[in-house]
Amino acid sequence: MGLTKQYLRYAASAVFGVIGSQKANVAFVTMRGGERGRFVAVAACEHVFIWDVRKAEKVLILKGNKHEVTYLCPSPDGVHVAVGYEDGAVRIFSLLNGESNVSFNGHKSAVTVIRYDTLGSRLVTGSKDTDVIVWDVINECGLYRLKGHKDAVTQALFLKDKNLLVTSSKDSFVKWWDLDTQHCFKTMLGHRSEVWGMALLNQESRLITGSADSELRAWDINYLEEGREAGEPKEKKGKSLLDDDDDEEEVVDESPEERILSCKKAGSLLREARDRVVSMTTDAKAKVLACHGSDTVLEVFSVLPEDEVERVMAKKLKRAKKKARDAQNAEDAPEPVVERNLANEIVRLTNIKASANIRWVDCLMCAGGELKIAMLLQNNTVETYSLKTTDKNLTGTKTSRLTLGGHRTDARTLAFSSDNIAILSASGDTVKVWNRSTLQVIRTMACEYALCSLFVPGDRQIILGTKSGKIQIFDLASGTLMETVDAHNGALWSLCLSPDQRGIVTGGTDKRVKFWEFELIMDKDAAQKRLTVKHMRTLQLDEDVLCVKYSPDQRLLAVSLLDCTVKVFYTDTLKFFLSLYGHKLPVLCLDISHDSALIATGSADRNVKIWGLDFGDCHRSMFAHDDSVMFLQFVPKTHLFFTAGKDKKIKQWDADKFEHIQTLEGHHREVWCLAISPNGDHIVSSSHDKSLRLWERTREPIILEEEREMEREAEFEEGMAKGDEPVVPGEIKDAEAAPAAKKTIETVKAAERVMEALELYRSESRKMEEHQIACQSAGKQLSPPKANPVLVAFGNVSPSRYVLDVIKKVRSSELEVSLLVLPFPYIPDLLSLFNCYVQDGLEVELVCRCLFFLLRIHFGQISSNQMLLTVIDELRINTISKVREIRDVLGFNSAGLQFLQREVESKEEVMFFADATGLLKEKRRKRKKRERAILTIA
């Protein structure tokens, strides 16, 4: 071996074992060629899995980066899915190829809600940072940020025909926003606590809100197109809820001079659940409302159409009249009055009981009145139900259940088979064996709460140690429990295979270490031999045993105790050899190197200590994790080892040089355990986020200095992006509307690239000027100066064209913020370049967007600079003429397309874009009306 030790990088290979993460919702999606209601999208840590619920298999993975998914919303056309993340980013994925081409960065913390408008051209996002942002999907940029809520936004809904938005929040308010003027014109205060869910019903004339109690409040919405009618009295300002105990509707009208709508409380529905609304949803046409609390029951309500309500009311009136006549027996009986209330309009359909507590729900109305419901449960399960809304006896039928691909509870123990192919994972109720290469479950067997596990030599049986102190032996071929042995009084925390492979050693909370030997006994039922374990001897100790480990030469046995020490005994005589003390909290994990020279211990005090096994001296103590060290294991045949911590990280260390080699980040919760394959090429880890992760050893070497440098750079970049937000000149602080995008490391880098391009343009321009002066003084044409290598690399483009190419490469969603951080000295050059681009007709739309933004933010400095007046005047003339030209071309093309559409429609009798505009239905309705009129005349 050379002077320097070579380390190889371990890289993330796969995420499995998670069916659906709790943080994000479940949503029905449409896949190409698939029927409606067959595919559901759920978050799986940082990815999104699309499941075919009929086949119970993954059909597509939308791969994220490192942050957890917190919300997802399919587009109205069913082609895309918008995904929100923990860091506030939003990415739009195509369901055709699983790729993401559009991303938005505006929020400072987790995205809590995403909604498309009817056409799918705009997107609204709400976040824990209390802001609501509206994005332009087509132009791939932010439109504006709406500020006003004081806590996390829980729901946001576009209104179809009006340019309005309604949002709810944990601050107990529901706010109405006018998107034309970008201000909040109404705040509804009729809730005593957080508003957790919200839905629009009855062609958006009714709003239903769900709060922290069992009441669903309904509000009637009346739209006033022309503002307040003349002579209408000015509405009284909404009082504070502290002044009035009555829970009637309270509204603060923030612009009384311009009323757009009025809200009035219409009543309330009582849910059967007593806790808060966890999620609430409707189908696309808002005919069905479904909501649930944190229990197992989903409550389904039907929203009756107006004619149905009138029919019910007519029947009630008829009954009331008959009752009144029977009671009075007189002709002059007063006319009975039947009051119409919310219970007549929204009726309970049924309750559906899921197999575990519900976390999220989505519903979809299919042909023939069939309602399909998808539920994401709190125990890593997805269930789908079908409900025939036309049937009289309504019961939800369970149509599918996704459970096989993951555990219901956290996997607390992992093990690799000796051939590196099979992975064992065991949780509180099941043990699963996975194929490492396909990540498919080979066996699932019911077990007790497992704490430790191993494959028996030969890989045909597995042994589990349980919380109740039992040893369970399973046969893999038949997938059955062969035997349960009572081993300890209390939890069996650790078991270890003896190096001679003839038996095992176990340690438990009963302060005993027990030695067992494998034995084959005749099974009377099966008439063949089966494996069992025979108790040979016991080592009694003074404290609870947390971990036991043989040295690979089988000479020594290390035992970790609750008194924070590790005791080492001779295996043959069980005589005491060494006591390793120094940890301040109990040692939760330990391992001994392949040559029996070193022992590494990991503790709840967050430190890892490396000891020599010859004298028990501590070679080095290292601060390893920001929380308890949960697991530690040496890589076979090396002095390198991995540790797993409650701080969500897995780290690799060198026990000879006492160096931290690399950190494997990916888990989003505490890492409970890991297992390294016998050949050292793979690691599998388990976490509280329900996921199992596979890591693979690559051939890429790690240079430690570079690794540390990269860590420092990442830290610096993160700090740079978190720095002060750029100040927009003329922007009012704490205004309701603000720019949508935020400063990120990408926007800073984009601004730097634009500055570099402008510097290059300046230097090339200077070179050309000097060349011309030299030519004039020489009186002849000299050979031109050498072009910059960058321009040559880009195909000998001109410096001005290179600047345009750099601006074109800036992401549309990051363009404004990138221009915002450009220092003013670069602006004059940019303006003169923009003038050239517009004159030449190059990227006029993009140039105008940049130009108008720069004029808006640097208006004071530009208008006071005499040198720029001529440039601005030229820009004014050129932009107006060029934009007119483009507008004329667009108008001509639009008219031509409309003419062709009419021609084809008249010949073929088909209607284009019918679904998008609803024209086809309107046409049919008018035709039927005409036919009825003709029949009446006839």
Side-chain angles (χ1 to χ4, degrees):
M1 206 169 175
L3 289 172
T4 56
K5 203 169 184 177
Q6 193 187 48
Y7 305 113
L8 294 176
R9 187 180 298 284
Y10 281 82
S13 170
V15 178
F16 63 108
V18 60
I19 291 166
S21 293
Q22 304 300 300
K23 272 209 168 172
N25 57 317
V26 60
F28 279 109
V29 292
T30 312
M31 298 295 285
R32 191 191 284 171
E35 64 185 83
R36 292 182 76 216
R38 183 171 171 176
F39 303 96
V40 295
V42 287
C45 298
E46 68 271 30
H47 306 311
V48 174
F49 288 170
I50 312 291
W51 289 94
D52 180 339
V53 291
R54 187 182 291 175
K55 292 183 179 176
E57 61 183 39
K58 269 176 265 185
V59 290
L60 188 64
I61 298 175
L62 310 178
K63 292 197 171 174
N65 297 326
K66 64 176 182 178
H67 295 283
E68 235 178 329
V69 174
T70 54
Y71 205 88
L72 41 100
C73 176
S75 63
D77 60 7
V79 178
H80 298 94
V81 172
V83 181
Y85 294 90
E86 185 76 44
D87 65 337
V90 177
R91 293 171 73 195
I92 297 175
F93 288 88
S94 164
L95 287 173
L96 304 175
N97 55 18
E99 287 178 10
S100 163
N101 298 321
V102 182
S103 67
F104 299 127
N105 266 303
H107 293 293
K108 295 183 183 73
S109 54
V111 175
T112 51
V113 63
I114 303 175
R115 278 284 176 276
Y116 276 95
D117 69 357
T118 323
L119 293 173
S121 60
R122 286 180 305 174
L123 193 70
V124 63
T125 59
S127 164
K128 278 186 181 173
D129 66 8
T130 75
D131 290 349
V132 175
I133 303 181
V134 181
W135 307 91
D136 183 339
V137 177
I138 295 162
N139 205 20
E140 296 179 20
C141 67
L143 294 174
Y144 34 81
R145 178 190 303 266
L146 303 171
K147 298 178 173 185
H149 283 297
K150 300 285 184 286
D151 207 334
V153 180
T154 55
Q155 186 59 283
L157 302 167
F158 279 108
L159 276 80
K160 280 177 191 164
D161 305 322
K162 299 168 182 63
N163 200 20
L164 304 178
L165 179 73
V166 57
T167 59
S168 65
S169 164
K170 282 168 72 175
D171 62 8
S172 82
F173 299 141
V174 172
K175 286 182 176 284
W176 292 82
W177 307 84
D178 182 350
L179 297 183
D180 292 325
T181 56
Q182 292 132 47
H183 87 293
C184 173
F185 64 87
K186 192 179 289 292
T187 300
M188 293 163 55
L189 311 176
H191 303 88
R192 300 297 170 98
S193 53
E194 301 97 330
V195 182
W196 289 104
M198 188 169 65
L200 285 163
L201 311 174
N202 300 4
Q203 281 84 44
E204 301 181 342
S205 65
R206 172 159 293 154
L207 183 73
I208 294 271
T209 56
S211 189
D213 50 22
S214 57
E215 199 180 333
L216 294 180
R217 292 164 178 79
W219 314 78
D220 279 337
I221 305 158
N222 295 313
Y223 299 100
L224 307 171
E225 296 294 341
E226 301 302 321
R228 180 182 283 110
E229 295 296 326
E232 187 182 329
K234 189 173 178 179
E235 192 183 66
K236 190 170 73 174
K237 280 268 183 180
K239 293 178 289 183
S240 162
L241 285 177
L242 298 171
D243 302 338
D244 190 5
D245 273 338
D246 190 12
D247 198 21
E248 282 304 306
E249 161 257 359
E250 295 276 352
V251 171
V252 172
D253 213 339
E254 293 183 1
S255 59
E257 75 282 356
E258 184 200 26
R259 288 190 57 197
I260 297 170
L261 55 82
S262 69
C263 288
K264 186 184 173 192
K265 191 164 181 191
S268 58
L269 285 172
L270 278 176
R271 295 161 50 234
E272 287 180 5
R274 289 280 165 268
D275 57 346
R276 77 171 179 89
V277 170
V278 173
S279 83
M280 182 157 82
T281 186
T282 63
D283 66 306
K285 292 186 177 168
K287 289 181 179 177
V288 172
L289 174 73
C291 69
H292 64 90
S294 55
D295 56 4
T296 59
V297 178
L298 177 75
E299 299 179 52
V300 185
F301 299 89
S302 175
V303 183
L304 299 180
E306 188 61 32
D307 54 350
E308 180 76 22
V309 176
E310 282 171 8
R311 199 157 55 243
V312 169
M313 293 311 293
K315 275 185 186 174
K316 280 195 172 183
L317 187 62
K318 200 174 176 183
R319 277 202 300 273
K321 280 181 180 176
K322 189 172 181 290
K323 207 173 182 182
R325 273 202 308 275
D326 293 348
Q328 294 283 335
N329 286 324
E331 292 296 321
D332 58 343
E335 187 74 18
V337 178
V338 178
E339 275 191 30
R340 176 169 165 170
N341 58 24
L342 197 65
N344 305 132
E345 299 171 36
I346 301 173
V347 295
R348 185 183 296 276
L349 274 181
T350 187
N351 286 356
I352 296 174
K353 192 169 172 63
S355 62
N357 290 348
I358 307 167
R359 185 64 191 86
W360 295 96
V361 67
D362 191 25
C363 56
L364 181 73
M365 187 66 81
C366 298
E370 184 191 5
L371 182 72
K372 291 188 175 178
I373 296 168
M375 294 187 209
L376 174 62
L377 308 183
Q378 287 182 16
N379 66 349
N380 196 27
T381 307
V382 172
E383 289 184 348
T384 61
Y385 291 80
S386 175
L387 191 69
K388 283 274 188 199
T389 53
T390 49
D391 289 359
K392 286 189 177 174
N393 300 325
L394 283 169
T395 48
T397 313
K398 192 185 288 187
T399 50
S400 67
R401 189 163 182 247
L402 304 178
T403 56
L404 194 65
H407 291 281
R408 307 285 71 74
T409 55
D410 297 357
R412 298 303 293 255
T413 174
L414 296 164
F416 258 103
S417 62
S418 58
D419 58 6
N420 309 291
I421 289 172
I423 297 168
L424 177 158
S425 65
S427 69
D429 55 357
T430 52
V431 54
K432 288 178 182 283
V433 179
W434 310 75
N435 180 316
R436 194 211 73 231
S437 51
T438 63
L439 301 178
Q440 295 299 308
V441 180
I442 305 164
R443 285 278 178 274
T444 299
M445 296 160 283
C447 67
E448 289 189 26
Y449 197 119
L451 295 175
C452 47
S453 62
L454 54 80
F455 277 90
V456 175
D459 299 333
R460 291 182 181 181
Q461 295 90 11
I462 56 171
I463 293 180
L464 299 183
T466 73
K467 202 173 185 177
S468 58
K470 295 182 177 69
I471 292 174
Q472 292 193 307
I473 305 170
F474 291 86
D475 179 56
L476 286 184
S478 60
T480 55
L481 173 64
M482 290 160 60
E483 190 179 6
T484 300
V485 180
D486 289 320
H488 292 269
N489 299 321
L492 195 163
W493 280 113
S494 180
L495 55 83
C496 177
L497 183 69
S498 63
D500 64 7
Q501 301 195 338
R502 290 183 179 178
I504 57 171
V505 61
T506 61
T509 52
D510 58 359
K511 304 176 185 176
R512 289 191 178 103
V513 172
K514 291 190 177 181
F515 295 81
W516 310 78
E517 271 190 7
F518 295 132
E519 200 174 44
L520 286 169
I521 59 166
M522 183 59 79
D523 190 344
K524 291 170 187 174
D525 300 336
Q528 61 182 23
K529 287 189 175 181
R530 67 171 175 82
L531 182 84
T532 185
V533 286
K534 185 182 176 187
H535 180 219
M536 300 307 289
R537 51 191 178 148
T538 302
L539 171 63
Q540 182 68 50
L541 295 155
D542 300 330
E543 292 285 343
D544 292 10
V545 177
L546 298 178
C547 192
V548 291
K549 192 70 73 175
Y550 274 115
S551 64
D553 59 8
Q554 209 166 332
R555 193 173 67 92
L556 302 169
L557 179 78
V559 183
S560 154
L561 301 174
L562 199 60
D563 64 0
C564 312
T565 64
V566 175
K567 300 274 195 291
V568 184
F569 299 89
Y570 290 106
T571 309
D572 49 2
T573 61
L574 295 188
K575 281 189 176 174
F576 175 76
F577 172 47
L578 292 169
S579 180
L580 312 177
Y581 54 89
H583 283 290
K584 294 181 180 67
L585 288 170
V587 173
L588 303 177
C589 49
L590 58 89
D591 199 13
I592 298 171
S593 63
H594 69 103
D595 53 6
S596 305
L598 299 173
I599 178 169
T601 58
S603 163
D605 65 9
R606 305 181 286 181
N607 289 301
V608 165
K609 290 182 189 285
I610 298 161
W611 319 74
L613 256 185
D614 39 9
F615 304 112
D617 55 322
C618 181
H619 291 185
R620 185 65 63 95
S621 180
M622 300 181 289
F623 181 75
H625 290 269
D626 296 327
D627 208 330
S628 302
V629 183
M630 297 304 293
F631 205 85
L632 184 151
Q633 191 178 345
F634 274 98
V635 178
K637 300 183 176 59
T638 70
H639 278 190
L640 308 178
F641 64 92
F642 279 91
T643 58
K646 270 191 174 179
D647 61 354
K648 314 173 193 175
K649 295 186 176 80
I650 296 165
K651 295 185 179 182
Q652 189 185 16
W653 309 83
D654 185 340
D656 292 330
K657 295 192 171 182
F658 318 119
E659 289 205 88
H660 170 216
I661 300 164
Q662 64 175 326
T663 302
L664 305 179
E665 290 188 80
H667 283 295
H668 300 284
R669 296 286 180 282
E670 302 94 318
V671 185
W672 297 128
C673 55
L674 56 85
I676 303 174
S677 63
N679 61 9
D681 283 344
H682 295 91
I683 300 170
V684 64
S685 56
S686 164
S687 162
H688 187 41
D689 62 16
K690 298 280 195 301
S691 72
L692 302 174
R693 283 173 190 264
L694 191 65
W695 313 82
E696 205 169 341
R697 184 158 61 187
T698 63
R699 305 262 60 87
E700 181 195 342
I702 291 178
I703 291 104
L704 293 182
E705 290 76 20
E706 281 183 17
E707 199 72 8
R708 297 296 90 83
E709 182 64 31
M710 277 159 64
E711 281 173 20
R712 282 193 293 272
E713 264 180 36
E715 211 173 293
F716 171 71
E717 285 180 357
E718 206 174 298
M720 204 158 85
K722 279 182 182 171
D724 295 335
E725 284 293 312
V727 178
V728 181
E731 189 193 349
I732 304 162
K733 194 144 180 71
D734 301 325
E736 271 188 332
K742 69 166 183 180
K743 180 181 162 190
T744 63
I745 191 63
E746 282 79 21
T747 60
V748 173
K749 284 179 176 174
E752 284 173 356
R753 285 196 296 272
V754 173
M755 286 190 274
E756 282 167 14
L758 285 166
E759 291 286 358
L760 190 145
Y761 166 75
R762 282 174 178 176
S763 67
E764 289 299 298
S765 300
R766 270 197 303 275
K767 264 202 272 182
M768 288 310 293
E769 282 171 19
E770 286 163 8
H771 172 66
Q772 283 168 3
I773 292 163
C775 289
Q776 282 171 6
S777 57
K780 61 176 181 178
Q781 194 65 31
L782 300 170
S783 58
K786 259 185 134 180
N788 191 297
V790 175
L791 300 177
V792 176
F794 278 87
N796 275 325
V797 292
S798 66
S800 62
R801 193 61 199 260
Y802 174 67
V803 175
L804 182 61
D805 287 345
V806 169
I807 294 171
K808 267 167 70 180
K809 282 174 188 165
V810 177
R811 265 191 174 160
S812 182
S813 57
E814 293 165 0
L815 185 63
E816 273 84 0
V817 185
S818 302
L819 292 172
L820 190 57
V821 295
L822 270 187
F824 184 75
Y826 291 100
I827 304 303
D829 286 338
L830 257 185
L831 293 178
S832 54
L833 280 169
F834 285 169
N835 194 21
C836 302
Y837 301 150
V838 171
Q839 275 178 327
D840 298 342
L842 298 170
E843 302 291 338
V844 177
E845 203 176 324
L846 174 69
V847 168
C848 285
R849 186 178 155 193
C850 297
L851 171 66
F852 300 151
F853 180 75
L854 290 174
L855 287 174
R856 197 163 75 245
I857 62 168
H858 294 295
F859 178 76
Q861 283 169 292
I862 291 170
S863 56
S864 60
N865 191 330
Q866 291 293 319
M867 308 281 284
L868 291 174
L869 283 179
T870 50
V871 179
I872 295 295
D873 201 42
E874 281 178 36
L875 272 167
R876 180 179 61 81
I877 297 159
N878 293 334
T879 48
I880 290 169
S881 64
K882 277 291 173 191
V883 169
R884 273 188 187 142
E885 274 178 37
I886 292 170
R887 194 179 62 188
D888 292 346
V889 170
L890 284 172
F892 180 82
N893 290 347
S894 176
L897 286 167
Q898 283 169 5
F899 169 74
L900 287 170
Q901 181 187 339
R902 285 195 299 273
E903 286 287 299
V904 174
E905 280 174 6
S906 60
K907 283 178 189 171
E908 305 287 335
E909 287 192 350
V910 293
M911 182 67 74
F912 279 97
F913 316 116
D915 290 341
T917 59
L919 287 172
L920 192 60
K921 287 179 185 173
E922 188 66 22
K923 202 171 180 181
R924 282 178 187 154
R925 195 174 60 77
K926 283 179 180 172
R927 191 166 66 230
K928 281 181 182 172
K929 203 173 177 182
R930 257 199 323 272
E931 285 167 2
R932 275 203 300 272
I934 292 161
L935 285 168
T936 311
I937 293 161

